[in-house]
Each structure stands twice: as structure tokens, then as C-alpha cells.
Amino acid sequence: MSAPRRMHLGWFMNFTRPAWTTPWVSDAEAREWTDGEYHVDWIRAMERAKLDFMMLEDSSMVSDGFRGTMDADLKHSLYAPKHDPLALAPVLARETRNIGIVVTASTSFYPPFLLARSMSTIDHLSRGRIGWNIVTSSEDRAAQNFGLDTLYEHDARYDRADEFVEVVEGLWGSWKPGALVADRATGTYVDASRVAPIHHEGRFYKVRGPLNTLPSPQGRPVYLQAGGSPRGREFAARHADAVICAAQGVPAMREFRDDVRTRAKAYGRDPDDVKVMFITLPVVAASRREAQQLFEEMQNPSETAVEISLGHMGALTEIDFSTVDPDAPLGDLQTNGHRTTLEKFTGLGGTLREATGRWATRYTNPAFVGTPDEVAAAMAEEFDEVGGDGYLITGGGSRRAIAELTDGLVGSLSDLGRVRRTYEHDLFRDNLLAF
């Protein structure tokens, strides 16, 4: 009998405060997360459980997308305060040895040269474990912090991103193998004949090059991407090493994965080199009864939880949901922001109040509720049915929640032979491609 297929696992989080309103986070910790120590403890637990990577999301604004003020965003710390994940990555790298560290950076706001240089530097500092979550951003308020009145049109952002990736890959390739010679006899540190400008002049960018950093261990970072729109899927299929998907239910999950793999093949890529990671929010507890109770609380949010959800939706879509009648059917809403997020939200049906109540449990996979052993078995069953590559865990936010998932759930998955028991390689990309 053949061994069961193994799944890749990552964890989605922010460089922000822990779940400070829960009883499992101290008052001091709610204020002192800024030194990075909380996230160091988190990634160490993940590495002990042999997860593939930690993914650090990011945004560059204080949102006023709900009721037209910043009150909800700051009161509930939704999009601020949030610190820079690129600065945290080297700290995490020094405290770990194997796990991948994925940071988010926007092609709409970063200059290509600066992004290429920063990623190359961090790949050196991590000895080949850095990844880049490629985003095009979705918020006008963020754009206004970078000299723009509004964000570029949705599909045009991906056109810019395609050229951005072309530029940074040109910069990473501007040093040829063997450029570093460190020859004491001739006094030559770098062979100049192996370093050349790229002289890129395109539709959106003009960059001379070459990059002024040495080639990094991976050559380029691992690419993650989360576009769910047709244009986003096309970008992911062309570039991404791993694609993040928020589909619900086996048919939708299978359709997404099959579509991305077909698109990747059209670009001449091996579809097996594009890992599709499904977002999941496992509800794990010591007993099924306790887990089910937590799940039911998520389905029946308090007024505070509703405000938090609508604050998030307002930031992501640039739609102020305080102006929408909470008890009227959701109509046809349009956005230049997160289109897939809005489509999934309005697709929940019913009124705004009803959709908000369903959001927490239906945006991510709602099937995984129970003890660690029960959730692990359900994940393995769905994984086999979908034919997927792995899961991106979301949630957590306290050391108890981290332990429940790393020691509990991942421990049970390990007992089933469904996750790695060791890191097979030194480089992040090689571990991602190991199975």
C-alpha cells in the first residue's frame, strides 16, 4: 500500500498585535508585540511542527472605510497599527533555521530596484528562506500615501505587476554565475565582465541596473500570489510558486486548482510546480462539544464582531457598508479593490446582517471543527478529494491558539503521515517542491 499524500502548510498573519481581547493575552503583551518577540515564539512553534512557511500580510494605510472615519479601524486595530514585515523578516530568520518566511510587498508602491535589493538582502540573511507575497494593493487610502489620488484600475494593476516581475528578475539575473572571484593575486573581488546593466525601458518602468547586491542563495524569492479574479489567476499561473485560494467546498476548490494548473501549462510551466494552498480557519478544541460551541459563536457574531467584519470589508473594497441597509437584500456592488472578496461576500446571499454572520465561517473552510484528531482526519479526506497541495492556516493570535494548532492539529496530521516530519532541503523553494 502506497504512503498517503502529504500536504504543505503555511500560516497567514500580520506584524500586528496578538488577539488582545482574549483571556490568553496579557496586558503587557498587547502593548509590547512591537519588539517582534511574540512573532519569534510563533514561528519557532511553527518550525517545530515543520510547517512550510509563515506568511506576513501587509497594508499601508489607516482605513476610514467604515462610517467615513478611522474610528473603527483604530478602535479594533484592524489595519493599524501594523508594522513593516520586511523589517521583521531578518529577526525571524536569525531565530529559525528551516522554515520559509514570506513577506508582502506591493508592485503598485515599491520601486522595482528597491524591492529587488531588499529581497536579495533578506534571502542572504535567511540563507535562502525568503518568499515574496506579490500583491497589487486594493485601497485608495494606501495609494494616497504614495502620491496617487486613486489606485490604478484593477486589471491595469496586474499589467504593471507583470512588468514589475520582469524588471526584478532582470535585476536578480544581472550578476552571472562566477561574478564573485575574491582573487587576492589580482586584487579582483568581482569580475566586472559578469555584471551588466539591464537597460529596461517598458510601458511602466525604466531601470538601468545592475543590482548592487550579490546573487542570493535562491536566485529569487519564492513567489506567493492570491489573485482570484480571471486576471489574478492569469498572473498567478504565469509567475507564482504557490497560489492562495479562498474557495469553499470541494467543487469550487477543484475548479480553482484545475484552472490555475491549465493556465500554468499554457505558459510552458510544469503544473506540479504551482502549489495551490487553500485558506482554512480550523476550529480546534479538546472536545467536539467545545469546538462546536466556538463555531456557533462565530456564526452568530456580536455587534462588535459585525463592526469588525464590516470595517475589514470597507477597507478591502472601498465600500462604506454603514450606508447599506443591514436588513435589505444585498444588491449588485462594484469595486476597484478586492473583487473576489466582494463577490464571495455578496454571494453569501440574504441581507447585509445575514451575510456578515456567515462571513467568518464561510470565507474560509467551515468543515474543520472538532478535536485535533477529528479535524486532521477531515482535512486529509478533503485534501484527497480535491487533489490539492496544502492549506494556509489563518487565525491564532495567542500562544494557546498557536499550541492548539501546531502541537495539536499538526501533531495529529503528522500521526496520519500527512505532513513532513523533517525539512528535506536547505532552501525554501526546494522544500516547497519536495512533494
Side-chain angles (χ1 to χ4, degrees):
M1 188 166 107
S2 61
R5 290 181 60 242
R6 292 179 293 170
M7 62 183 73
H8 294 279
L9 293 176
W11 202 322
F12 177 98
M13 66 198 66
N14 297 282
F15 187 13
T16 187
R17 49 78 185 160
W20 68 283
T21 58
T22 71
W24 311 108
V25 175
S26 69
D27 289 343
E29 194 167 59
R31 296 172 179 271
E32 296 170 4
W33 56 270
T34 55
D35 63 5
E37 288 303 311
Y38 175 77
H39 287 76
V40 165
D41 288 350
W42 196 334
I43 199 171
R44 282 173 171 167
M46 291 171 59
E47 187 170 61
R48 285 196 300 271
K50 306 298 186 292
L51 271 71
D52 285 76
F53 60 87
M54 168 187 276
M55 194 193 94
L56 291 153
E57 187 269 347
D58 196 26
S59 57
S60 302
M61 64 173 182
V62 181
S63 175
D64 61 355
F66 187 65
R67 298 196 180 109
T69 77
M70 298 184 292
D71 292 356
D73 191 26
L74 292 171
K75 176 182 178 180
H76 302 298
S77 58
L78 305 181
Y79 287 81
K82 185 181 292 184
H83 288 207
D84 189 343
L86 264 73
L88 178 63
V91 176
L92 301 177
R94 290 283 174 166
E95 299 293 338
T96 54
R97 297 180 61 85
N98 300 105
I99 192 168
I101 302 163
V102 179
V103 292
T104 299
S106 174
T107 57
S108 295
F109 305 143
Y110 264 91
F113 188 93
L114 180 60
L115 188 281
R117 188 173 188 239
S118 295
M119 288 290 181
S120 178
T121 300
I122 302 173
D123 201 45
H124 279 285
L125 293 172
S126 65
R127 294 183 175 88
R129 292 186 287 124
I130 198 66
W132 174 25
N133 178 37
I134 307 174
V135 300
T136 63
S137 296
S138 61
E139 310 91 7
D140 288 342
R141 284 294 183 255
Q144 289 158 14
N145 290 325
F146 294 90
L148 301 171
D149 293 326
T150 59
L151 205 58
Y152 311 112
E153 188 275 330
H154 179 275
D155 285 6
R157 298 200 297 269
Y158 281 109
D159 294 340
R160 298 179 68 92
D162 276 327
E163 186 178 335
F164 192 107
V165 172
E166 178 186 349
V167 174
V168 294
E169 288 186 345
L171 290 167
W172 288 321
S174 62
W175 289 56
K176 303 306 178 188
L180 175 62
V181 293
D183 187 339
R184 293 179 182 271
T186 64
T188 303
Y189 192 70
V190 173
D191 180 353
S193 69
R194 295 182 177 272
V195 182
I198 64 172
H199 294 303
H200 177 92
E201 292 191 33
R203 179 181 171 193
F204 303 108
Y205 300 105
K206 183 178 180 179
V207 180
R208 178 185 183 273
L211 202 62
N212 64 340
T213 60
L214 289 168
S216 71
Q218 294 186 110
R220 66 163 177 84
V222 170
Y223 295 160
L224 268 70
Q225 215 280 323
S229 67
R231 185 63 179 89
R233 293 187 188 196
E234 196 70 16
F235 180 87
R238 181 178 179 183
H239 301 291
D241 299 300
V243 186
I244 302 162
C245 173
Q248 299 88 45
V250 168
M253 296 165 74
R254 187 182 291 137
E255 182 279 328
F256 182 94
R257 183 171 185 265
D258 290 347
D259 181 53
V260 167
R261 288 171 63 84
T262 297
R263 292 173 189 259
K265 190 172 182 179
Y267 281 108
R269 302 185 64 192
D270 182 347
D272 289 338
D273 290 347
V274 184
K275 306 300 182 183
V276 177
M277 310 282 287
F278 296 105
I279 298 176
T280 185
L281 178 60
V283 182
V284 177
S287 69
R288 180 166 185 81
R289 180 179 178 182
E290 182 183 352
Q292 192 64 39
Q293 182 178 346
L294 292 171
F295 182 63
E296 289 172 1
E297 290 173 0
M298 293 168 63
Q299 291 179 301
N300 298 281
S302 64
E303 288 299 317
T304 296
V306 169
E307 184 173 270
I308 289 172
S309 292
L310 295 182
H312 276 300
M313 289 300 300
L316 293 172
T317 65
E318 304 281 340
I319 297 171
D320 184 355
F321 283 91
S322 71
T323 65
V324 179
D325 184 347
D327 297 308
L330 277 171
D332 182 29
L333 301 173
Q334 302 295 321
T335 182
N336 190 38
H338 273 268
R339 288 185 181 174
T340 303
T341 299
L342 181 62
E343 288 172 3
K344 290 182 182 297
F345 183 68
T346 56
L348 293 171
T351 66
L352 176 63
R353 190 185 306 277
E354 291 167 339
T356 304
R358 298 172 182 142
W359 182 244
T361 56
R362 290 187 62 182
Y363 178 67
T364 56
N365 197 313
F368 305 143
V369 180
T371 65
D373 285 347
E374 290 171 336
V375 171
M379 289 178 70
E381 181 179 357
E382 181 183 79
F383 177 76
D384 289 340
E385 192 172 356
V386 172
D389 301 297
Y391 291 95
L392 182 67
I393 296 169
T394 186
S398 71
R399 286 181 171 81
R400 172 176 170 163
I402 294 166
E404 286 174 340
L405 293 174
T406 56
D407 298 337
L409 173 58
V410 182
S412 293
L413 286 168
S414 181
D415 290 343
L416 294 175
R418 293 302 190 138
V419 292
R420 65 160 48 90
R421 289 191 170 94
T422 186
Y423 293 101
E424 297 89 346
H425 304 283
D426 294 328
L427 301 182
F428 177 15
R429 179 177 293 101
D430 292 340
N431 282 314
L432 195 62
L433 294 175
F435 51 87

